[in-house]
Each structure stands twice: as C-alpha cells, then as structure tokens.
Amino acid sequence: GAMLLKYGSDHRGTLKKFAYLLPPAILLLLGIAVYEKGLWDESELVTTIGFTAIQIVAVFLVMQAYIRSAEEKRNGILDAAWLRMLGKYSYAMYVFHWPVAHGAEVLMDKLMDVPVAAPIGGTTVGYTLGMFLVVVPITLVIAMLSWNLYEKHFVRMKRFFKYSHTDVVKAEKANATTT
C-alpha cells in the first residue's frame, strides 16, 4: 500500500521498477523453509530475513491483483465480498489473534503428551496448519463480536465531529508554525 501511494498512479511502472526483488525473495523464502524445515517463528532466520521475504512477495501479489482489477475495470479479487468482510474485522483480528493462538497452544500442550510444536516427520507444517484451522475461526468470531458489541458504536460517533480536508491542512500549518 505504501509503495502504491509513494509511486503514484503508474502502478505497472512501480511493479516493474521493483520486480528484481521478487525472484530472490521467493528463492530465499524457499531456501529458509527447507533449511529450517518450515517457517517457524522461533527461528531468528525466519523472523528477520524470512518475514521480510514474505512481505516482499505479499506486496507484489497485492499490487498485481490491484493493477489487474483496475485495468480490467471490473470487480477483481480485491473486491470480493469475503475480503471486504475481513477488512472490516482485520484490526480486531490483529489484536486478538495472539491471545487466541497462545491459549490454543497452552490448551493443546496440556491435552497432549508431546510438546505442541514437536516436528512430525521432520517438519512443523502439520502443526502450523492445525493451529491455523483452529485459531483463525475463533479469532474471526471474537473480532465480529468486538465489532458488533464495541467498535461500531464508536464509528457511529463520527457524525458528531466535523471533518474536512481543509481543516486538516489548516491544523497542520498551525502546528508547523508553533513548533
């Protein structure tokens, strides 16, 4: 999103300008996954270089979807109803995912004799997929409850506060002269 904003309306040019980053990011990500036997977040290699590579790949995928939907002037994947629904609840999902994941991990650790993150067949992919299938739905339900019981009431209060772009510009200028 920041790249799209920074480089203006020439999205295809922006994509081409940074295209050299994509193949090394994908290869690096695959190499780390093979070396670490998964993309486990307790690995320093994954949390530093691996997460950066994931973000580079994700930016290119989002930019490609955005460009295609803009060029075809029709609803693309980014206009899908399920994605817009996730957008509404995304902040609450971000806030609540860690406590839910931690709780699931502690609960599974107590229910099983082996450590939860123990590799199965030399990899943690099964564990990661299992946690995803448990944590995401629970987090989504909690996010929906948070939105409907708490957040939307604050969003409705927007109408009580006047907002215009010129007011923001005036405030920024006034702020700049006082500092």
Side-chain angles (χ1 to χ4, degrees):
M3 276 177 60
L4 288 174
L5 182 63
K6 178 165 176 45
Y7 292 100
S9 61
D10 181 22
H11 305 308
R12 191 156 296 286
T14 301
L15 203 58
K16 285 180 183 175
K17 184 183 279 189
F18 294 100
Y20 70 93
L21 293 172
L22 190 57
I26 291 171
L27 290 174
L28 190 61
L29 199 53
L30 291 172
I32 291 171
V34 168
Y35 179 77
E36 293 287 334
K37 295 185 174 133
L39 294 174
W40 196 242
D41 66 353
E42 291 178 4
S43 159
E44 287 183 25
L45 191 59
V46 171
T47 57
T48 54
I49 298 168
F51 284 176
T52 302
I54 289 170
Q55 291 169 351
I56 289 169
V57 172
V59 163
F60 276 90
L61 291 174
V62 169
M63 285 178 68
Q64 190 65 35
Y66 176 78
I67 290 168
R68 285 218 170 136
S69 108
E71 286 177 350
E72 295 173 7
K73 293 187 177 36
R74 65 175 179 81
N75 293 345
I77 184 72
L78 296 179
D79 291 325
W82 67 273
L83 268 181
R84 286 196 320 249
M85 181 270 303
L86 284 179
K88 183 192 290 187
Y89 306 121
S90 64
Y91 183 72
M93 290 180 74
Y94 163 73
V95 169
F96 294 117
H97 86 279
W98 189 86
V100 171
H102 182 69
E105 191 171 333
V106 168
L107 184 63
M108 286 178 69
D109 213 9
K110 288 184 180 195
L111 295 175
M112 300 171 74
D113 282 340
V114 294
V116 184
I120 301 165
T123 181
T124 59
V125 172
Y127 166 77
T128 304
L129 182 60
M131 284 295 282
F132 179 83
L133 294 173
V134 169
V135 171
V136 170
I138 293 170
T139 303
L140 182 58
V141 167
I142 291 171
M144 291 170 124
L145 287 171
S146 172
W147 169 259
N148 288 298
L149 299 175
Y150 184 72
E151 296 172 45
K152 77 176 180 183
H153 304 292
F154 287 96
V155 172
R156 284 186 190 149
M157 291 173 51
K158 283 195 304 194
R159 68 177 188 256
F160 298 114
F161 300 94
K162 181 182 170 198
Y163 173 83
S164 74
H165 182 69
T166 52
D167 291 340
V168 173
V169 172
K170 286 178 187 175
E172 287 174 351
K173 286 181 182 176
N175 227 4
T177 58
T178 59
T179 54

